[in-house]
Amino acid sequence: MTDRTGHTTASTSPRLDRFDAELARNPEAAVEALLTDLAAARGPIIEETEDGHDALVTFVYVDDVDQVELNTPALMLNAPRLSEPMRRAAGTNVWTLVARIARDVTTAYRFHVDPPTLGDTTEEMMAVLSDPERHAAFTAAYARSVRPDPYNPHRVADLADDSDEPRSSVLTMPAAVALPRTADVSQRIEEHRLPGGRRIDLYQPAGGDDGLPLVVVLDGEHCRRGLVLEHLDTAIAQGRVPPVRAVLWHNLSPTSRMVEMACNPVLPAALDDELFPWLAARGQLPPAERRVLVGFSYGGLATAYTALHRPDLFGAVLPISPSLFFTPDPDTEPGEWLTRQVTADTTRARWFLAVGRLEDIPIALPGVESGATMLSCARRFHQALQRAGADVVGLLEHPSGHEMFTVHAAVGQGLTALLAPSSRPADAPG
């Protein structure tokens, strides 16, 4: 277990100090030298610190605009804040921000010009995310404000942006695990509409047969943009994950997930009534013990709920960064409601939990315990499963945030553990 990483912005860095000194003597030369260093670094300038655990990262954006902010999980900002204002160097178009970040982190970042807000409180944020019109307006304004780092060629899609274009830049710290290159898998993905109208994407690995295990991934549209299938395919090709058939289950609308995934029996019923008969008719529905449900964020909450309340549907579950702070009624029911549903009678599935190490930020929603974070909630849920005798095969705390890097790592490690032969005795509890 790790303590709170406590990443913070820093007032300056050695490179920024030198820029400020050169700026006073020759502004044009100072800016040119800084841009040369950015090009050489292919993104933010990373400088080591004395303790060796963290490094100073100088983010730079250049444009003649009124306001620029930096958005990255590495800043560990308290919701509903999404981004941190950058400082404009006097007399220039150069905007800077320095952050102290652990050396093993991989995370995304993006610049925002005149960014929108999600309100002043977490309640206002949740209201925006749940209201179709307000959510659409925020998403459009957010997309207009995003600027990738022009010096960094490594980009990924931003899940808060409806665009499939990768507009978030990737920060890979010096001690981070290298990200694998992924191949195009579009030729092995079929897009379908179920009889009820919901879209799914069906993936089959190269050489796969009809006897493969089934992996169902919630939030299909987000995971498709987030290259989850590409990373899964790479892990299978490298032998790190056994071959599986995967289904990406899309939401009915951008805001429907806030209802369907909020510990709502409607979601597991839809999987059972709509998806499973369709797969069975194609001869692609294995027995429950060879099915895995995967979900991220609210989808992670729904994954855990399904395992506890419909254990007949999936033999294994992989909740990733699950929103376990959830309460059905903050006026009458404390947060972490689902953790209190964990008993020896509700833990028949195999479990692998994952959460980002940067998700150690107080949630501050009504009903949620003061200081509770996504990370602490996941740890408490993990402990509850263990106390109940559940078959828990892993807890991953990945050096990233509430983002697809955590999902990629969790899918690679979690599916391997969940699909391995069980070492539990047949009469083991749970």
Side-chain angles (χ1 to χ4, degrees):
M1 300 295 185
T2 58
D3 296 327
R4 284 197 65 182
T5 47
H7 296 177
T8 59
T9 57
S11 59
T12 189
S13 67
R15 184 60 187 90
L16 191 54
D17 283 342
R18 181 156 62 88
F19 172 68
D20 289 339
E22 293 171 348
L23 198 62
R25 297 192 298 269
N26 187 332
E28 185 175 338
V31 172
E32 183 177 348
L34 180 63
L35 299 187
T36 298
D37 286 354
L38 288 172
R42 297 168 68 84
I45 298 170
I46 301 173
E47 299 172 283
E48 300 288 353
T49 59
E50 291 182 359
D51 65 15
H53 174 69
D54 299 333
L56 291 174
V57 183
T58 302
F59 295 91
V60 181
Y61 182 77
V62 183
D63 198 2
D64 184 15
V65 293
D66 292 332
Q67 180 188 18
V68 181
E69 299 190 2
L70 176 70
N71 177 325
T72 175
L75 294 179
M76 300 179 69
L77 299 175
N78 289 64
R81 286 179 62 204
L82 298 175
S83 50
E84 182 76 11
M86 300 180 72
R87 177 178 72 91
R88 186 173 192 167
T92 76
N93 296 332
V94 175
W95 300 79
T96 63
L97 183 145
V98 179
R100 181 181 289 269
I101 302 174
R103 298 181 72 255
D104 62 347
V105 162
T106 298
T107 192
Y109 68 97
R110 60 208 66 86
F111 302 110
H112 288 272
V113 174
D114 300 324
T117 69
L118 279 168
D120 296 324
T121 66
T122 46
E123 298 100 305
E124 292 177 9
M125 175 186 73
M126 298 299 281
V128 170
L129 297 178
S130 301
D131 182 274
E133 290 187 6
R134 296 174 68 187
H135 181 274
F138 168 80
T139 300
Y142 184 97
R144 289 193 299 269
S145 75
V146 173
R147 305 289 189 276
D149 187 341
Y151 294 94
N152 187 345
H154 192 179
R155 296 179 184 176
V156 293
D158 179 4
L159 300 187
D161 183 351
D162 279 344
S163 172
D164 290 335
E165 179 187 355
R167 302 202 302 161
S168 289
S169 302
V170 178
L171 174 67
T172 305
M173 295 297 286
V177 175
L179 296 174
R181 292 188 177 184
T182 59
D184 180 10
V185 297
S186 57
Q187 297 302 312
R188 283 182 278 117
I189 299 175
E190 304 172 21
E191 298 179 4
H192 295 277
R193 293 281 176 181
L194 296 179
R198 188 186 300 264
R199 177 182 155 182
I200 62 168
D201 300 329
L202 181 65
Y203 157 87
Q204 182 152 313
D209 56 32
D210 288 340
L212 295 174
L214 174 69
V215 176
V216 177
V217 185
L218 303 179
D219 278 326
E221 64 273 35
H222 299 307
C223 291
R224 183 73 181 269
R225 289 202 307 272
L227 304 182
V228 169
L229 292 179
E230 285 79 356
H231 281 266
L232 172 60
D233 188 78
T234 299
I236 292 172
Q238 294 176 347
R240 293 185 286 112
V241 172
V244 298
R245 176 174 292 105
V247 170
L248 299 188
W249 171 269
H250 290 235
N251 293 299
L252 291 171
S253 73
T255 54
S256 65
R257 65 189 301 273
M258 302 299 289
V259 176
E260 280 195 324
M261 295 183 180
C263 296
N264 190 336
V266 167
L267 178 63
L271 292 168
D272 192 23
D273 297 340
E274 299 175 35
L275 177 62
F276 288 177
W278 185 87
L279 288 170
R282 294 168 57 103
Q284 295 175 335
L285 182 68
E289 61 268 19
R290 301 187 71 235
R291 305 175 201 155
V292 184
L293 182 62
V294 180
F296 169 68
S297 193
Y298 248 50
L301 174 71
T303 295
Y305 172 84
T306 300
L308 295 177
H309 290 265
R310 287 295 306 271
D312 56 310
L313 300 184
F314 294 91
V317 287
L318 176 52
I320 306 168
S321 299
S323 301
L324 293 165
F325 58 82
F326 171 81
T327 168
D329 185 352
D331 294 328
T332 61
E333 189 75 45
E336 300 183 59
W337 174 82
L338 194 62
T339 301
R340 295 191 294 278
Q341 310 299 304
V342 176
T343 67
D345 295 331
T346 62
T347 54
R348 287 164 42 189
R350 301 186 84 187
W351 295 79
F352 188 104
L353 298 173
V355 65
R357 206 174 68 209
L358 304 185
E359 298 185 72
D360 202 16
I361 309 162
I363 295 163
L365 277 169
V368 178
E369 179 183 339
S370 176
T373 71
M374 299 287 278
L375 180 59
S376 69
C377 289
R379 289 173 175 174
R380 282 192 285 271
F381 189 81
H382 177 251
Q383 292 165 356
L385 288 173
Q386 290 183 316
R387 286 195 298 268
D391 186 5
V392 185
V393 297
L395 169 63
L396 170 66
E397 295 182 7
H398 194 256
S400 53
H402 199 73
E403 54 190 330
M404 280 293 115
F405 300 116
T406 304
V407 178
H408 298 160
V411 167
Q413 297 183 39
L415 291 182
T416 300
L418 290 168
L419 295 172
S422 177
S423 60
R424 289 166 62 91
D427 58 352

